Amino acid sequence: MRRIDTAHRLRGPAVATIAALTLAGWAVPARALPRAAPTPLAPAAPVSAPDVAGAGSFDLVRPSAHPVELRSAPRRLSVTYTYEGDERTFDDFLARTKTNGLVVLDGRRIVAERYVKADRDTRFQSWSMAKSFTSTAIGIALHEGRIRSIDDPVTRYLPELRGSGYDGVSIRNLLRMSSGIAWDERSDVPKLQMAANRGRPVGKLAARQVRGWEPGSRFEYTSMNSFVLAKLVSRATGMPYHRYVEKKIWKPAGMASTVRVDKDSNGDSLGYCCYYATDRDFARFGLLYLREGKAGGRQVVPRSWVRTSTTPSASFNPGYGLHWWLGGDGRGDFMAAGFGGQYIYVSPRQGVVIVKSSLSAPANDRREALTAFRAVAAEVARTR
């Protein structure tokens, strides 16, 4: 039986590099910035790739002066699981999904960590895992009274959206992906990303969205919702989104490295994607939620928000909270998920966090990923 061996790199086919932004594989890992050097990120692979939001279109979020320590405690884990009637190994899953970064935490102990054409200082593209950071920022702003209620209409804070499909739609309905705007994620996100690449202000695109169905009546995954929420954070707090994330999340949660957050030509952080961070810092974010919002002995995220955002937000989709995907089956696990196989998985019951970064992955691999992560979490708990 094959094993997860923290002393060796992933086995299997080499991960191919990609030199262009394509629908088949958007995620290109970005190499580490020096912690204090505000210089552009270079790709980890030998072939260069374009910036996701255009040259220089990003902000830097600085780390904590006192990072949360993650202790290396390698452990051999034999992991198999059954999916669609087949018995599979976790190693094979990692190879098939072209994984080039993996961190498994047992509390604050790193029990498995491996990289392919990358290392612990590589900044990986988050893609839609960023949505869970945006949700966290909303929760903190709500707790501080900067946002009166998530049942407020977004136009209370962003009056420029009056007359658009977002007019009168509640913050809650954006968070649970039920805004009612006419949107098709498969076809509209590439257009959105291309517009950002070409220097168009995304806020103007948001103001052009039209109503397609009754808000709060169904689930429709919509990245534009997350952009609007990030812009709302800036407007409600009087602080740029990336700076609020730095002050309220990144530093107090004990992150160890600088992160890049992409923005549009108007200076608005995209919010739905494009955090470039190390897998260890993504794991620290998972650890923050594992500990119900606490880090370094302080409550960083309100415990009530952690619980609310990671429980079903609507009867029409019990598998989604407030910008978090839920495991279901009464297990209480949840994860942030991004295009191409990016994951932060949290199992409160077993005290485990798993981060996985990939160049690309098969479409709709989230169900298998959940099954595989649950098997790893169970094995970590069993061998504790």
Side-chain angles (χ1 to χ4, degrees):
M1 183 180 297
R2 299 178 69 183
R3 298 175 182 272
I4 300 176
D5 184 349
T6 56
H8 298 84
R9 292 179 178 263
L10 294 171
R11 301 175 178 84
V15 177
T17 58
I18 54 177
L21 189 64
T22 67
L23 293 180
W26 285 354
V28 180
R31 290 287 291 177
L33 280 170
R35 292 191 181 181
T39 55
L41 299 171
V47 180
S48 62
D51 282 341
V52 172
S57 299
F58 60 87
D59 291 303
L60 297 180
V61 174
R62 301 297 181 181
S64 171
H66 306 285
V68 169
E69 181 186 2
L70 301 178
R71 299 189 297 274
S72 182
R75 189 186 310 170
R76 288 182 177 270
L77 303 171
S78 298
V79 179
T80 62
Y81 60 94
T82 301
Y83 183 72
E84 294 185 339
D86 297 328
E87 186 171 340
R88 306 180 181 186
T89 71
F90 189 60
D91 271 353
D92 287 339
F93 171 70
L94 296 177
R96 279 189 291 105
T97 57
K98 300 179 182 179
T99 302
N100 61 332
L102 174 73
V103 174
V104 180
L105 296 184
D106 182 0
R108 289 198 295 126
R109 296 182 295 276
I110 301 174
V111 298
E113 182 174 36
R114 292 184 298 174
Y115 301 98
V116 171
K117 293 186 178 181
D119 57 42
R120 58 179 283 185
D121 293 318
T122 299
R123 265 68 167 180
F124 292 100
Q125 162 66 291
S126 69
W127 293 112
S128 286
M129 293 195 307
K131 291 178 171 68
S132 298
F133 285 91
T134 296
S135 169
T136 302
I138 289 284
I140 295 171
L142 176 69
H143 180 72
E144 291 181 331
R146 310 291 188 99
I147 295 171
R148 188 183 65 172
S149 167
I150 62 170
D151 291 314
D152 279 350
V154 293
T155 44
R156 178 184 177 92
Y157 305 89
L158 299 172
E160 64 268 33
L161 294 181
R162 290 175 184 154
S164 76
Y166 283 110
D167 197 348
V169 182
S170 70
I171 297 169
R172 184 187 302 276
N173 277 334
L174 270 69
L175 284 164
R176 62 183 182 174
M177 293 299 184
S178 189
S179 64
I181 69 167
W183 183 269
D184 180 83
E185 186 76 0
R186 183 177 294 274
S187 61
D188 288 335
V189 160
K191 297 174 187 175
L192 175 63
Q193 202 67 35
M194 287 174 66
N197 290 351
R198 292 171 180 170
R200 296 181 64 186
V202 178
K204 289 187 177 180
L205 298 179
R208 294 175 186 168
Q209 299 305 307
V210 299
R211 181 71 53 82
W213 41 278
E214 182 64 25
S217 64
R218 74 176 200 231
F219 178 85
E220 187 70 47
Y221 191 81
T222 302
S223 285
M224 184 62 85
N225 291 346
S226 306
F227 171 81
V228 171
L229 289 169
K231 190 172 179 66
L232 189 150
V233 167
S234 297
R235 192 68 58 80
T237 64
M239 190 180 302
Y241 170 88
H242 77 281
R243 194 61 63 217
Y244 192 74
V245 167
E246 177 182 276
K247 183 177 180 180
K248 300 296 182 176
I249 302 172
W250 207 254
K251 285 186 174 182
M255 306 306 189
S257 301
T258 299
V259 62
R260 159 183 163 171
V261 179
D262 283 356
K263 62 183 178 181
D264 70 4
S265 61
N266 198 45
D268 290 324
S269 296
L270 298 185
Y272 61 87
C273 77
C274 310
Y275 277 61
Y276 287 82
T278 67
D279 274 356
R280 286 194 174 196
D281 277 341
F282 284 137
R284 287 181 174 92
F285 184 60
L287 184 63
L288 178 68
Y289 267 70
L290 179 66
R291 295 187 165 180
E292 296 189 300
K294 282 190 173 181
R298 61 173 290 192
Q299 195 74 42
V300 176
V301 185
R303 182 177 300 171
S304 59
W305 185 258
V306 172
R307 292 176 177 173
T308 297
S309 61
T310 59
T311 54
S313 59
S315 59
F316 49 74
N317 187 11
Y320 200 73
L322 301 178
H323 275 34
W324 285 92
W325 295 95
L326 311 180
D329 304 328
R331 301 194 191 190
D333 51 353
F334 52 90
M335 57 189 181
F339 182 89
Q342 326 310 318
Y343 293 102
I344 304 170
Y345 170 82
V346 182
S347 174
R349 177 184 296 183
Q350 290 157 323
V352 172
V353 173
I354 302 170
V355 171
K356 176 184 177 296
S357 297
S358 302
L359 286 179
S360 63
N364 302 317
D365 81 327
R366 195 172 61 248
R367 287 179 56 238
E368 182 174 2
L370 175 64
T371 303
F373 294 155
R374 283 177 166 178
V376 173
E379 181 66 4
V380 170
R382 188 189 71 80
T383 59
R384 186 170 291 141

